mmCIF file of all heavy atoms in Angstrom:
data_model
loop_
_atom_site.group_PDB
_atom_site.id
_atom_site.type_symbol
_atom_site.label_atom_id
_atom_site.label_comp_id
_atom_site.label_asym_id
_atom_site.label_seq_id
_atom_site.Cartn_x
_atom_site.Cartn_y
_atom_site.Cartn_z
ATOM 1 N N LEU A 1504 81.161 114.194 85.291
ATOM 2 C CA LEU A 1504 80.681 113.508 86.461
ATOM 3 C C LEU A 1504 81.741 112.843 87.196
ATOM 4 O O LEU A 1504 82.490 112.017 86.529
ATOM 5 C CB LEU A 1504 79.577 112.471 85.937
ATOM 6 C CG LEU A 1504 78.876 111.581 87.016
ATOM 7 C CD1 LEU A 1504 78.308 112.476 88.069
ATOM 8 C CD2 LEU A 1504 77.841 110.747 86.324
ATOM 9 N N SER A 1505 81.915 113.110 88.430
ATOM 10 C CA SER A 1505 82.934 112.426 89.291
ATOM 11 C C SER A 1505 82.315 112.088 90.573
ATOM 12 O O SER A 1505 81.423 112.610 91.092
ATOM 13 C CB SER A 1505 84.187 113.343 89.493
ATOM 14 O OG SER A 1505 83.759 114.439 90.294
ATOM 15 N N SER A 1506 82.901 111.078 91.293
ATOM 16 C CA SER A 1506 82.497 110.677 92.621
ATOM 17 C C SER A 1506 82.641 111.809 93.586
ATOM 18 O O SER A 1506 81.796 112.136 94.372
ATOM 19 C CB SER A 1506 83.364 109.484 93.116
ATOM 20 O OG SER A 1506 83.131 108.326 92.328
ATOM 21 N N SER A 1507 83.679 112.636 93.470
ATOM 22 C CA SER A 1507 83.844 113.636 94.375
ATOM 23 C C SER A 1507 82.845 114.821 94.169
ATOM 24 O O SER A 1507 82.266 115.397 95.084
ATOM 25 C CB SER A 1507 85.306 114.315 94.330
ATOM 26 O OG SER A 1507 85.673 114.504 93.055
ATOM 27 N N GLY A 1508 82.489 115.026 92.873
ATOM 28 C CA GLY A 1508 81.423 116.008 92.638
ATOM 29 C C GLY A 1508 80.096 115.590 93.202
ATOM 30 O O GLY A 1508 79.323 116.385 93.829
ATOM 31 N N VAL A 1509 79.755 114.296 93.072
ATOM 32 C CA VAL A 1509 78.504 113.687 93.562
ATOM 33 C C VAL A 1509 78.536 113.940 95.059
ATOM 34 O O VAL A 1509 77.510 114.270 95.603
ATOM 35 C CB VAL A 1509 78.352 112.283 93.044
ATOM 36 C CG1 VAL A 1509 77.324 111.550 93.827
ATOM 37 C CG2 VAL A 1509 78.100 112.238 91.554
ATOM 38 N N LYS A 1510 79.611 113.648 95.693
ATOM 39 C CA LYS A 1510 79.646 113.717 97.175
ATOM 40 C C LYS A 1510 79.473 115.177 97.688
ATOM 41 O O LYS A 1510 78.788 115.456 98.636
ATOM 42 C CB LYS A 1510 80.917 113.226 97.775
ATOM 43 C CG LYS A 1510 81.085 111.723 97.714
ATOM 44 C CD LYS A 1510 82.266 111.085 98.297
ATOM 45 C CE LYS A 1510 83.445 111.157 97.307
ATOM 46 N NZ LYS A 1510 84.542 110.332 97.725
ATOM 47 N N GLU A 1511 80.047 116.125 96.898
ATOM 48 C CA GLU A 1511 79.856 117.498 97.262
ATOM 49 C C GLU A 1511 78.399 117.916 97.114
ATOM 50 O O GLU A 1511 77.834 118.662 97.993
ATOM 51 C CB GLU A 1511 80.703 118.334 96.269
ATOM 52 C CG GLU A 1511 80.574 119.826 96.563
ATOM 53 C CD GLU A 1511 82.002 120.469 96.690
ATOM 54 O OE1 GLU A 1511 83.028 119.746 96.562
ATOM 55 O OE2 GLU A 1511 82.087 121.702 96.818
ATOM 56 N N ILE A 1512 77.770 117.486 95.997
ATOM 57 C CA ILE A 1512 76.287 117.898 95.740
ATOM 58 C C ILE A 1512 75.477 117.259 97.011
ATOM 59 O O ILE A 1512 74.666 117.971 97.546
ATOM 60 C CB ILE A 1512 75.730 117.301 94.433
ATOM 61 C CG1 ILE A 1512 76.500 118.011 93.241
ATOM 62 C CG2 ILE A 1512 74.274 117.496 94.410
ATOM 63 C CD1 ILE A 1512 76.200 117.378 91.901
ATOM 64 N N ALA A 1513 75.729 115.973 97.356
ATOM 65 C CA ALA A 1513 74.952 115.325 98.380
ATOM 66 C C ALA A 1513 75.227 116.072 99.686
ATOM 67 O O ALA A 1513 74.204 116.256 100.507
ATOM 68 C CB ALA A 1513 75.365 113.946 98.421
ATOM 69 N N THR A 1514 76.348 116.473 99.922
ATOM 70 C CA THR A 1514 76.732 117.094 101.243
ATOM 71 C C THR A 1514 75.899 118.395 101.471
ATOM 72 O O THR A 1514 75.388 118.757 102.539
ATOM 73 C CB THR A 1514 78.213 117.612 101.218
ATOM 74 O OG1 THR A 1514 78.977 116.409 101.109
ATOM 75 C CG2 THR A 1514 78.553 118.293 102.513
ATOM 76 N N PHE A 1515 75.576 119.080 100.251
ATOM 77 C CA PHE A 1515 74.770 120.335 100.392
ATOM 78 C C PHE A 1515 73.322 120.069 100.111
ATOM 79 O O PHE A 1515 72.595 121.068 99.777
ATOM 80 C CB PHE A 1515 75.425 121.484 99.537
ATOM 81 C CG PHE A 1515 76.765 121.869 100.022
ATOM 82 C CD1 PHE A 1515 77.998 121.378 99.541
ATOM 83 C CD2 PHE A 1515 76.827 122.648 101.203
ATOM 84 C CE1 PHE A 1515 79.178 121.756 100.061
ATOM 85 C CE2 PHE A 1515 78.119 122.999 101.696
ATOM 86 C CZ PHE A 1515 79.206 122.545 101.164
ATOM 87 N N GLY A 1516 72.899 118.780 100.136
ATOM 88 C CA GLY A 1516 71.458 118.578 100.036
ATOM 89 C C GLY A 1516 70.961 118.518 98.545
ATOM 90 O O GLY A 1516 69.790 118.491 98.319
ATOM 91 N N GLY A 1517 71.807 118.572 97.616
ATOM 92 C CA GLY A 1517 71.450 118.612 96.182
ATOM 93 C C GLY A 1517 70.880 117.213 95.719
ATOM 94 O O GLY A 1517 71.255 116.140 96.424
ATOM 95 N N ASP A 1518 70.288 117.249 94.581
ATOM 96 C CA ASP A 1518 69.633 116.045 94.097
ATOM 97 C C ASP A 1518 70.743 115.213 93.189
ATOM 98 O O ASP A 1518 71.163 115.810 92.192
ATOM 99 C CB ASP A 1518 68.472 116.373 93.207
ATOM 100 C CG ASP A 1518 67.707 115.191 92.735
ATOM 101 O OD1 ASP A 1518 68.017 114.021 93.158
ATOM 102 O OD2 ASP A 1518 66.883 115.313 91.808
ATOM 103 N N VAL A 1519 71.067 114.137 93.597
ATOM 104 C CA VAL A 1519 72.083 113.280 92.878
ATOM 105 C C VAL A 1519 71.404 112.152 92.113
ATOM 106 O O VAL A 1519 72.053 111.349 91.371
ATOM 107 C CB VAL A 1519 73.199 112.729 93.711
ATOM 108 C CG1 VAL A 1519 74.023 113.858 94.327
ATOM 109 C CG2 VAL A 1519 72.672 111.866 94.832
#
Side-chain angles (χ1 to χ4, degrees):
L1504 178 55
S1505 68
S1506 296
S1507 48
V1509 163
K1510 284 184 278 195
E1511 181 130 355
I1512 295 172
T1514 301
F1515 293 101
D1518 182 12
V1519 294

